[in-house]
Each structure stands twice: as structure tokens, then as C-alpha cells.
Amino acid sequence: MSKQFDLVIKNGVVVTSGDVGPLDIAIKDGKIAHLAASIPEDAAERAIDAEGAYVMPGGVDAHVHLAQDFTSGPGGVTGKCADDFMTGSRSAICGGTTTIIAFAQQNRWEESLLDVVTAYDRGASETGCFSDYAYHIIITRPDVEMLKRELPVLVNEWGITSCKLFMTYTAMQLRDNELLDVMYEARKLAVTTMIHAENGDLIAWLTGECGPPKSIHLELIHTAEKLEEKGLIEPRYHAESRPPIVEMEATHRAIVLAEMIQNPILFVHVGSASAAAVIRKSQTRGFPVYAETCPQYLHLTWEDLKRFHSPQCFENSKMICSPPPGPDDSDQEALWTGLRNGTFTIFSSDHCPFRYDDIRGKALGVLQHAPSMEGSTCPIDQDHVHDIVHGKTGHFKYIPNGCPGIETRMPLLFNYGVMEGRITPERYVELTSTAPAKLYGLYPKKGALMPGLSDADLVIWYPDGRMTPFSLTNDRLHHNVDYTPYEGMSFTNWPRYTILRGKVVWAEGQLLGTPQDGEYLKRKTSQLTTAAVRSIADDKRRVATWLYK
Ligand code: DUC
Ligand code: ZN
Ligand code: ZN
């Protein structure tokens, strides 16, 4: 006779975003079925003894790039993500993440968002996915008629209820009027608008890409000395071309635009204390601004761009991401505070995987830079990329921006946040699982442990002192990237079990899942951003109050 439950997790300390307590959890047909002080072992086909360790909802990583060609270079130079849905999601579950939301990116030459999503979806179906998955849409060509036609289809048929907009990168940057066009259409459908906030014009100017001003007084104008003119182009100058004020200005501007038309927005990958302060101020005024930060901003600084061999070494390109982390660790402290005090709603990986030793990865920083390639006798192909790159400095502007981190996100915040007492276990669950599920319309199926309603997605940690501490090396990870920015960092805990809809997919260092396990998630609209915008909605000095009359 079949038993009442499929699986019971015994002797754990269950943590949700609101509660912590010693409870057993029973699972039936992939759902959380029952929580109680004690559930008999023989009520289930199988039992796992959590031995007093934390048991939490599986991680929801709402910011990952998989199978994406990223047109972030000048003139559309394109890096290729090293992970597809199969390898990226494999890495996710080995680090305690059971749901991912990946980007489907529109290129400027592509008219239809529906075609873009269809193509990404075909890719995901072909490789399969170890975790459950969903998509955000990146909009780079905001034709209003197309938005009016296609956004409703994305929302209603695909369950894609969030879009990302860029304020930088020549091939992706939207001007203010274009940002407004999308925000206006997004607001009508409650599509969550995610903003990459960096002032692209400032970056181009500091780099030296803008010509001199076309003025009759040209000869009187002192030509500013830009990074390129000074020859400051090695990887570490990527950060110098984007001082934190670049992010701060764009953050402020996006808030002004959003506030004027009363569209809630979310800032992705916030890296600086100054941008966080602008966000906090707006939240205090009562305007719904949400924010995300990521591990690289808690653990890296500009110093990491000089980490390898010498400050000039091209290998430092491994640490390039946008926005860059702060110049020193003072930004890190401010971001930890923001994680505690609610400035940040979610904590995501921004897994943006480019291999170092790859003609479509970081090596583009040399391969696209003509002076670095002068005199090179090697053919440009994958077999020779290492020889070509070796000893060159390249140019930062051609290096694809992004770092891998889908597998390390949950362990880093657990070890350096919960175990070091910076955040509570409940706040940990809120940031890594519950809030992203609510923000992106997946709650309570994901991010919760509600009997009958929530999928049985769980992460179970080791009991205190049980796991042998280790220093991280890239060969422990399951992504398809040839490095990790967190090489050498110490870990005293790591997910012991990951469970996806009742199936144990990762256990004590063994990958048990398959690429057939993951299911596509049609999302609802946000359960956070739909909260009414009340506090300043009638203030004619800030808001175009007539717009929606
Ligand atoms: N934006 C991201 O979201 N990830 C990496 C690079 C970027 O510009
Ligand atoms: Zn971005
Ligand atoms: Zn990203």
C-alpha cells in the first residue's frame, strides 16, 4: 500500500522569510504537503534526516544570462555566454537554486519580441534545464506599435511579466524618451521594469569615444584627456571609466522618469553606495523603487582588477562586470546595510558567464583591439586563443562584461551573511527566494513552504561543524566557465541537499538531477509592484497627473 507522503524531511530547523523553528516537512506529488513538530518516518516512502540543520525554500535566482549573445561592446561587439540552460542550471542546483529567470535579449535588428522569446525557448527545450526556469525580455528597440501588440501576448500567453532596459552600451542603450515609451506601456500591463543604470554617454566620454565638440570655438576648447588618449586601456581601467557617480546619475534619472509617469521600477545589479542611497531616498518618499544587489559587489573591489600577476595583465579581465564593484570596501559595507534595512529587495547572481580562454569570451578584449593584434601570426581560432592573448594588455572596452556566480550565490550569502551574523536566516530566505518569487509573480508556488500551494523546492544545509571547511576552487563548480571570481574564498557550509518539486537533485556533492527535470514557469504579474503608488501620486510638481485621466 502506498504511503501517505513521498518524502519526509526530519529534524531540521525550518526557515521561511517570516519564521524559524524545528519542524518536519512532508512532501507529496512534488508539493509541500504538511509541516509539523513531528511527522512519523514511516508515513513516507523515504526520509531525509536534516540533523538539526537549516531547511529552506529553494533559491530563486532572478538574474541569470544563459545562451545569450551579449552585444555590450562598441559597435555591437558580442560576447557569447559560456553556459546554456543545461550547464547553467546544473550549476544552479549544485548551489541550492531551484528556479532561475534568464534573459531573452532583443537585438536592434530584431523587430519582434515574440520571435526573440520563441528562439530562446527553442534553445532551452533543446538542451533541457536542471531547474525550473522563466524569462525576462530585454528590449533594445522599443517601437511603440510593436510594444502595444506584443507585450500583452508576452504577459498573457508566455507569462513573461518583466522587461530589462539598458541606459548604456551603444547597441542597447535607450534614450530617456525611449525609456519612457517602454515604462508607459509596461505600466498599463504591470510589467516589472528592470533598469541597468549606468550613464552610457558619461562612460563613452571618459573612455574617449566622443569626438570633440562641433563648435566654432573649437580651437579654444581644451581637449579633455580621456583614458584612451592617455593609453589607460588595460582591463583595470574598465572600472575607472565607470566611477560610481556614473551609476548614481543614471539611477537618479531613471527614478525621475519612473516617478513622473508613476511606473514602479527595479534596479538590477546595484554596485555602489551612492546609487543605493538614491534608491533609499526614493523609497523613503514612498515611491515604489526596488533594488537588487549581487555577490560581486559584496566581495570584490577595484583592487581585484589588479589581482593577477601584474596590474597590466589581461587575466584581470576575468573580474570585469558592469557596473564595476566599488573602488574600496566602503561600498561593500553600505550594501550589507542595504541588505539588512530593506533597500535591497532581492539578491541575485547576475551570472554572466564568459570564459577567459575563448574567442567569444574575455579574449575579445585582445582580439578586437587592432594594436594588440599587430604582428600576431597565430590564426584567430579557439586552438590559438591562449597564445594570442598571452602577454597582451588588450582594451577594456571590447571585453565582455560579466562574471559567473550562479552556483556560489547561495553559499556566499549563507557563509558571509548568515554565519557571520550580518543577516538573519529569515532575511536570507527573503532575499534569495521569497522576495524574488513575489517580485516576479511566482509566489507562493516558489519562495514559500505553504502546504498544498508551494512546490517542494528545498535547500538543506549541513549541521554546524559537520562539513569540512574548504577554499573554493573552480573545479568544484558545475558551470562551463574556466574561472570563478571567488577562487580561494573559505566556506564552512554549502547546500547538502537540493530538492526540486520533491526530487532530490543534489545530495552530499552528488549531482542526481537531469536536464529533463526543469519546467517552464508561466509567471503572474508582480505581487510587489502592483501595490498602489499613493504617497506622491497627486503631486503635480513630480507627477504627470493628467497622463492616466
Ligand atoms: N548587465 C548585466 O545584467 N549583466 C552583466 C553585464 C551587464 O551589463
Ligand atoms: Zn545589466
Ligand atoms: Zn545581468
Side-chain angles (χ1 to χ4, degrees):
M1 203 180 74
S2 76
K3 305 232 171 138
Q4 191 182 358
F5 304 117
D6 300 328
L7 175 64
V8 61
I9 317 293
K10 293 208 49 81
N11 308 318
V13 175
V14 171
V15 189
T16 65
S17 60
D19 300 295
V20 188
L23 287 172
D24 293 349
I25 302 179
I27 293 167
K28 179 75 179 167
D29 297 331
K31 291 276 183 197
I32 300 292
H34 187 48
L35 286 95
S38 178
I39 301 173
E41 206 172 313
D42 61 10
E45 302 291 338
R46 183 182 168 194
I48 289 178
D49 185 356
E51 299 181 77
Y54 286 134
V55 180
M56 303 171 169
V60 177
D61 191 345
H63 187 150
V64 304
H65 302 267
L66 302 174
Q68 186 183 339
D69 288 348
F70 215 127
T71 45
S72 57
V77 170
T78 309
K80 186 174 177 49
C81 285
D83 279 310
D84 56 22
F85 281 80
M86 196 271 275
T87 61
S89 62
R90 177 181 69 198
S91 191
I93 60 165
C94 300
T97 291
T98 45
T99 296
I100 56 173
I101 312 181
F103 291 93
Q105 181 193 313
Q106 179 193 36
N107 294 301
R108 284 257 171 88
W109 62 87
E110 293 171 312
E111 284 177 21
S112 165
L113 299 176
L114 297 175
D115 290 351
V116 169
V117 167
T118 304
Y120 272 84
D121 195 49
R122 195 177 312 119
S125 307
E126 275 165 17
T127 60
C129 197
F130 282 85
S131 65
D132 285 355
Y133 62 103
Y135 310 120
H136 309 286
I137 183 79
I138 291 176
I139 301 172
T140 59
R141 179 175 169 161
D143 171 57
V144 173
E145 287 312 309
M146 179 278 290
L147 292 174
K148 284 190 201 300
R149 226 177 22 249
E150 295 199 351
L151 276 185
V153 182
L154 287 178
V155 171
N156 298 322
E157 290 180 19
W158 281 90
I160 296 176
T161 53
S162 46
C163 64
K164 182 178 175 193
L165 313 179
F166 283 79
M167 298 173 79
T168 186
Y169 301 135
T170 46
M172 304 170 101
Q173 179 174 347
L174 302 190
R175 300 288 155 192
D176 290 359
N177 61 317
E178 295 174 311
L179 292 166
L180 284 166
D181 278 345
V182 183
M183 285 187 198
Y184 186 61
E185 295 307 319
R187 185 192 189 277
K188 294 182 195 163
L189 296 164
V191 167
T192 303
T193 315
M194 309 159 80
I195 305 285
H196 177 131
E198 285 185 293
N199 182 324
D201 292 0
L202 259 180
I203 296 168
W205 191 88
L206 289 170
T207 303
E209 286 172 337
C210 301
K214 306 268 182 300
S215 147
I216 52 166
H217 302 300
L218 196 58
E219 70 282 2
L220 300 177
I221 294 172
H222 175 67
T223 307
E225 298 199 13
K226 318 286 178 54
L227 287 168
E228 283 184 339
E229 287 158 5
K230 287 172 172 283
L232 305 177
I233 56 171
E234 302 117 65
R236 70 176 154 134
Y237 291 107
H238 178 271
E240 305 267 5
S241 73
R242 294 155 165 82
I245 198 166
V246 166
E247 185 185 28
M248 193 269 273
E249 187 282 334
T251 303
H252 176 72
R253 181 157 41 99
I255 290 173
V256 169
L257 301 180
E259 202 164 303
M260 195 189 70
I261 64 166
Q262 297 288 280
N263 178 48
I265 49 175
L266 168 107
F267 289 98
V268 288
H269 49 50
V270 175
S272 63
S274 52
V278 169
I279 290 164
R280 183 83 180 149
K281 205 167 153 199
S282 177
Q283 291 167 338
T284 303
R285 261 200 329 271
F287 183 65
V289 173
Y290 301 91
E292 163 198 91
T293 193
C294 315
Q296 50 272 41
Y297 304 113
L298 301 179
H299 298 288
L300 304 179
T301 69
W302 288 11
E303 286 304 304
D304 289 286
L305 285 161
K306 301 184 217 161
R307 188 198 282 189
F308 293 95
H309 308 296
S310 78
Q312 285 72 37
C313 181
F314 184 68
E315 200 170 347
N316 292 308
S317 60
K318 289 176 175 176
M319 299 297 152
I320 285 186
C321 57
S322 266
D328 56 49
D329 57 14
S330 63
D331 287 80
Q332 296 177 356
E333 276 318 307
L335 299 180
W336 278 112
T337 302
L339 285 172
R340 268 191 300 276
N341 71 15
T343 307
F344 293 108
T345 320
I346 60 172
F347 185 75
S348 314
S349 69
D350 193 3
H351 179 74
C352 196
F354 299 108
R355 291 175 70 88
Y356 174 65
D357 201 354
D358 185 349
I359 49 172
R360 300 290 308 280
K362 299 285 182 184
L364 281 166
V366 169
L367 304 178
Q368 290 284 326
H369 182 231
S372 290
M373 293 299 287
E374 253 169 43
S376 176
T377 49
C378 298
I380 301 180
D381 60 25
Q382 190 55 49
D383 290 342
H384 295 89
V385 63
H386 186 76
D387 301 327
I388 298 173
V389 168
H390 185 72
K392 307 276 173 48
T393 51
H395 189 318
F396 67 81
K397 74 180 180 185
Y398 300 111
I399 298 168
N401 291 192
C403 293
I406 200 166
E407 191 167 345
T408 40
R409 173 187 77 117
M410 298 280 283
L412 279 169
L413 194 66
F414 191 82
N415 280 264
Y416 290 88
V418 178
M419 296 184 71
E420 295 204 353
R422 290 185 168 108
I423 55 171
T424 62
E426 300 96 300
R427 182 73 181 134
Y428 175 88
V429 171
E430 186 168 24
L431 286 162
T432 58
S433 181
T434 311
K438 287 181 178 171
L439 182 67
Y440 294 116
L442 290 169
Y443 180 86
K445 179 176 169 64
K446 303 295 183 187
L449 301 177
M450 291 193 199
L453 298 179
S454 301
D455 284 353
D457 296 348
L458 297 169
V459 55
I460 305 176
W461 299 85
Y462 283 92
D464 264 356
R466 166 63 79 84
M467 197 195 79
T468 313
F470 66 89
S471 298
L472 185 66
T473 50
N474 190 51
D475 56 13
R476 284 187 96 104
L477 301 177
H478 300 76
H479 58 193
N480 186 36
V481 187
D482 49 3
Y483 75 97
T484 167
Y486 311 109
E487 183 89 17
M489 286 184 71
S490 306
F491 290 84
T492 53
N493 212 327
W494 195 271
R496 185 181 187 186
Y497 300 98
T498 307
I499 297 174
L500 174 67
R501 282 180 279 99
K503 176 178 174 181
V504 180
V505 289
W506 167 254
E508 315 231 28
Q510 297 291 318
L511 174 65
L512 303 175
T514 74
Q516 283 72 50
D517 291 335
E519 287 181 358
Y520 177 69
L521 299 165
K522 237 177 118 168
R523 294 183 287 124
K524 296 174 280 195
T525 53
S526 175
Q527 289 135 308
L528 292 185
T529 62
T530 44
V533 183
R534 288 210 181 85
S535 56
I536 52 165
D538 296 325
D539 181 350
K540 292 188 178 58
R541 285 181 181 77
R542 314 193 70 87
V543 176
T545 51
W546 48 268
L547 253 179
Y548 302 102
K549 296 227 164 96

